[in-house]
Amino acid sequence: QARLVESGGGSVQAGGSLRLSCVAAGFAVSPYCMGWFRQAPGKEREGVAGIYNFGERTYYTDSVKGRFTISRGNGNTAYLEMNDLNPEDTAMYYCVADKPCAELEGYAEGLASYWGQGTQVTVSS
């Protein structure tokens, strides 16, 4: 079955960096879009970044622009380079594919939704 497997979360001090990885396993075809959402206790779930399989279109929420970089490896791998982390970045980060990713830019018609189990990112001051 299709699934997303995240890795790379952990604890880091403010100003540090982490690199999250996501592998899309069991997909018949590479996901059209892969990305990341996050949710912290007491906060709404937030789309962080997304990237499409073809071309270089990317999405970033305003709070991470200039600090986070999303990229694709092969067609079934996505990365999120997180730099200059601050405590407000502390959250559970979820890899997503297709619909939730594409919805960040409004191009999700006809796509299925895929969510990973999440990887915890904790930033201390």
Side-chain angles (χ1 to χ4, degrees):
Q1 65 277 19
R3 64 190 189 277
L4 303 175
V5 182
E6 305 108 322
S7 62
S11 298
V12 65
Q13 294 188 66
S17 299
L18 288 171
R19 187 180 190 236
L20 306 184
S21 299
C22 178
V23 176
F27 283 71
V29 65
S30 298
Y32 170 68
C33 186
M34 296 182 71
W36 299 87
F37 279 66
R38 67 185 181 186
Q39 187 165 29
K43 297 183 179 180
E44 296 183 355
R45 187 174 61 194
E46 175 187 33
V48 178
I51 186 168
Y52 294 91
N53 194 31
F54 302 104
E56 299 295 331
R57 175 178 285 183
T58 57
Y59 166 87
Y60 298 97
T61 191
D62 287 345
S63 64
V64 309
K65 288 179 179 177
R67 300 189 297 119
F68 292 11
T69 302
I70 190 168
S71 61
R72 295 284 287 266
N74 59 36
N76 292 80
T77 307
Y79 305 95
L80 186 68
E81 182 72 31
M82 309 164 66
N83 298 311
D84 194 25
L85 287 161
N86 60 66
E88 288 67 48
D89 296 315
T90 295
M92 184 72 73
Y93 284 70
Y94 298 91
C95 182
V96 299
D98 288 346
K99 188 177 179 68
C101 174
E103 284 179 336
L104 297 174
E105 296 192 56
Y107 303 114
E109 185 175 354
L111 297 176
S113 295
Y114 301 95
W115 290 79
Q117 292 185 340
T119 184
Q120 178 67 40
V121 172
T122 302
V123 185
S124 62
S125 59

